[in-house]
Amino acid sequence: MNIIALKKTPFLLLIVLSVLLIQCATRDTISQKLVMRYNAPAAVWEETLPLGNGRIGMMPDGGIDIEHIVLNDITMWSGSKDNEAFNPDAINYLPEIRELLLSGRNLEAQELMYRHFRCGGQGSAFGNGKDAPYGSFQMLGDLHINYRYPQTDSVSFYERTLSLNNAVATTQFNRNGITYSREYFASHAHDVLVIRLTADQKKSVSFEVNLSRPERATVFVKENRLYMEGQLNDGYNGENGIRYLTQLEIVNSGGNLVSSGNTLSLSDADEAVILISTATDMLDKNHISTVEQLSVQAKSKYYDQLKYAHIDSYKEKFDRVALNLGKQDNITPTDERLIRFQSDDDPAFAALYFQYGRYLMICGARESNLPLNLQGLWANQVQTPWNGDYHLNINLQMNYWPVEVCNLSELNKPLIDLTTSLVPSGEKTAQTFYGAEGWVAHMMTNPWQFTAPGEHASWGATNTGGAWLCQHLWEHYAFTQDRTYLESIYPVLTGAADFFLSSMIREPKHGWLVTAPSSSPENAFYLPGSKDAVYVCMGPTMDVQIIKELFTNILSAAEILGMEDETTAKIRETIPQLPPMQISPDGHLQEWLEDYEEVDPQHRHVSHLYGLHPSNQISPVTTPDLAEAARKTLNRRGDAGTGWSRAWKVNFWARLHDGNRAYKLLKSLLEPTSGNEVKMSSGGGTYPNLFCAHPPFQIDGNFGGTAGIAEMLIQSQDGYIHLLPALPARWTNGSFKGLCVRGGAEVGATWKDGKITKLTLEAKTNNTFRLKVPDHAIAIKKNGKELSVENGFVPIGMKIGEKLDLDVIYPA
């Protein structure tokens, strides 16, 4: 069947397509039209527009004569299992390392760790893992389209766009009186990449296409189809590397399609659709047949069937949440809006950025696939920065901060699955390196379940990576109230706790139980009388906060599930023996057991404020003294930093209920930047395509920024729903719908002059929800009837599926 021949569409199919169009149009009336727009082709990759369906993706640059489209597959990982990472000699040095720490000789302990207490083999080959067993996330390849035009007249009316509502990108321009149009999407329904090329005059579509990859690729043509296949390095130059296959086919209306060498060429067509199907054998051992089946399935559909099935599938997730902070400007180019945002405070641009984060999550993650890595789904290199892996000292976790509150709960599954998959390796690491029970993961991991300490003690010593992941496992329960799920992950939580219960030691000054050795990511301090940078320590504040949170969550889970065992008994005994959070003499929160002098007071990590966010151990409501110490700590750290660091600070200030300061940090996060070199000491901000700059690009800042905006609008960590807890003065009027809260409900709100006027609740579980009465309100009414207030809160018992519309009343 010709994918383009709509003139032959059966009458029944026209009805189906009409229904799809009406559905999509109706959904667009619910939410604002959200468009990213540019008036020139992308000059660099950081200006291209990301498309994806959670498994595969592409980034077209919109070039006029030659278009470059980078292709991606989230399972394009080199490397393989590395049993040499379990260093059997490391444990022999653990007693000496601990003794040195107990006697205050941290630098000597650190030097010993560099030499002996680290992963074996080649390690992570940090930032150069593509040819090592550790591996690297890699681009799939490059698609180049060389266009041929009747004449070479100048181009006018150029624009390229990305619709966040539909997940469809376009390029359009006029040349020699002919309007050329391109549409691109990564189908959420049919799992292929689709590019449609048209013109408003017949026989005007002519081009050549080829596929390439910098290494490990064979490209060939067979039966007018273009193929690229290869095998990535397993780290041993063996035959166990990931294999991939990509197939490209052109379905044309009119014109002449021929092949020449490794190129497909189409001349004088009315229009054409390029279909790309691709897969690897990481998660699909039948990937070759899968590629063919996906292509056949896509070809059996008309183009509009493909497009609107894709849109409908995508919008099912995207349309769950809306945020209106003012009228959207869909005319001004997005890169100009980004620049202007530093001076004009356009609230609608913040709403666009918020939804862009949700867009990246939906397009970068899929329930049955790998988690989003440092680059999400999108990369333009074979060797991605820092291997494009999973950093467990904030970066991977930040990727998933917006998932629950932004109504994408099912997309937590890849992170949950990864955490569960780390347990066997983590048990071996715990036993091999520490002689401990349970399981542990350190600072970084990959699809091959790497859990050992890294080769550099400055970052590799962090041993709470797995425990931090457990926080996400608990949060998924907190939002969904799924008891069956909680029962399934309970052993993962208790296994993580068993490691600390069996490995912590007593520090000599107070007799507290602490981790040793460890570090406070990735900050260093000076020992008294020394100017040598030291990272290795005992019981840094973040470790204590993560462990206490893990223990507390387990006790809550045990109560819900009716379980009491040896682990819970040990936890109850151990919690009082953990170090308390300490406030230094100058009023900030201490990062270490001692009030050491920091090497870099403005360090990008603010690890000791984990208890403020994402945890809930520091609160202006329940722990005002600690909240004030956190405030002083943030002021001391400053508002600069890498992209993701600025995003984290948005969340910190939102948790401190300071909306204007959170907004200031949001503007800092959205500071325009350029350049893709590694610059951790400066240069954070946002690229023209709104990708976050570490720099270079790291996607965690995008998700951290989206989560931060959500925290400004709604919080539920203190056992009640707090609406607009950190509303900036600039966001005077607005509304949102579909944000989620712990306990299992969706919430919507409308406000005017900074005051909530209406709100909606929809229960996803049978539960009683406590709603904090907004400041200055005198009543909350349901159908004109005033609801009872208890100490400033309104308890609302609801059944699953029940919806309530409430009015907030203020003095006349």
Side-chain angles (χ1 to χ4, degrees), residues 116-244:
H116 301 290
F117 200 82
R118 48 153 288 175
C119 54
Q122 297 184 47
S124 68
F126 199 44
N128 189 29
K130 74 181 180 70
D131 294 324
Y134 185 85
S136 171
F137 175 62
Q138 304 186 5
M139 65 181 292
L140 170 60
D142 294 297
L143 167 63
H144 285 96
I145 307 177
N146 299 310
Y147 296 98
R148 299 193 301 271
Y149 302 99
Q151 297 184 30
T152 58
D153 290 359
S154 61
V155 172
S156 58
F157 304 108
Y158 181 96
E159 70 171 17
R160 57 189 177 96
T161 68
L162 172 61
S163 166
L164 302 186
N165 304 96
N166 297 334
V168 175
T170 67
T171 297
Q172 184 170 296
F173 55 88
N174 186 280
R175 187 168 191 165
N176 196 36
I178 301 173
T179 297
Y180 295 91
S181 301
R182 308 169 192 163
E183 282 189 331
Y184 325 73
F185 59 90
S187 175
H188 284 247
H190 293 96
D191 206 10
V192 292
L193 304 176
V194 182
I195 305 166
R196 187 192 195 192
L197 310 172
T198 63
D200 65 356
Q201 292 186 23
K202 290 185 175 299
K203 299 183 179 181
S204 297
V205 176
S206 300
F207 60 88
E208 296 177 351
V209 296
N210 61 73
L211 290 169
S212 64
R213 194 173 190 275
E215 64 171 38
R216 295 179 173 269
T218 300
V219 180
F220 60 94
V221 172
K222 182 180 179 181
E223 297 177 350
N224 272 356
R225 295 175 183 173
L226 185 58
Y227 293 89
M228 181 173 69
E229 64 180 6
Q231 182 177 29
L232 306 186
N233 194 347
D234 63 3
Y236 300 98
N237 295 311
E239 295 299 316
N240 294 319
I242 293 299
R243 298 176 184 272
Y244 66 91

Side-chain angles (χ1 to χ4, degrees), residues 7 14 21 37 52 59 85 124 141 148 201 237 271 463 479 501 509 511 516 525 545 557 691 732 765 783 805:
K7 61 184 179 181
L14 285 173
L21 285 166
R37 184 180 304 278
M59 296 186 68
S124 68
R148 299 193 301 271
Q201 292 186 23
N237 295 311
E271 59 180 273
N463 58 21
F479 277 86
L501 292 170
K509 189 173 181 179
F525 58 91
Q545 293 168 339
F691 270 177
T732 307
T765 62
N783 298 328
D805 294 314

Side-chain angles (χ1 to χ4, degrees), residues 348-422:
F349 187 69
L352 177 77
Y353 182 76
F354 169 83
Q355 289 287 36
Y356 184 57
R358 294 187 66 250
Y359 167 87
L360 292 174
M361 177 64 66
I362 298 167
C363 294
R366 179 180 285 194
E367 293 90 318
S368 59
N369 220 301
L370 296 180
L372 295 146
N373 57 59
L374 284 174
Q375 304 222 215
L377 166 66
W378 299 277
N380 67 332
Q381 303 171 53
V382 169
Q383 176 53 60
T384 45
W386 299 284
N387 300 317
D389 63 5
Y390 308 124
H391 287 190
L392 305 184
N393 61 357
I394 188 172
N395 310 102
L396 174 61
Q397 291 90 338
M398 183 180 284
N399 281 357
Y400 285 86
W401 284 353
V403 168
E404 297 291 347
V405 67
C406 290
N407 213 331
L408 298 170
S409 182
E410 67 269 48
L411 296 184
N412 239 328
K413 188 175 185 298
L415 186 66
I416 295 167
D417 290 345
L418 175 73
T419 305
T420 303
S421 76
L422 294 178

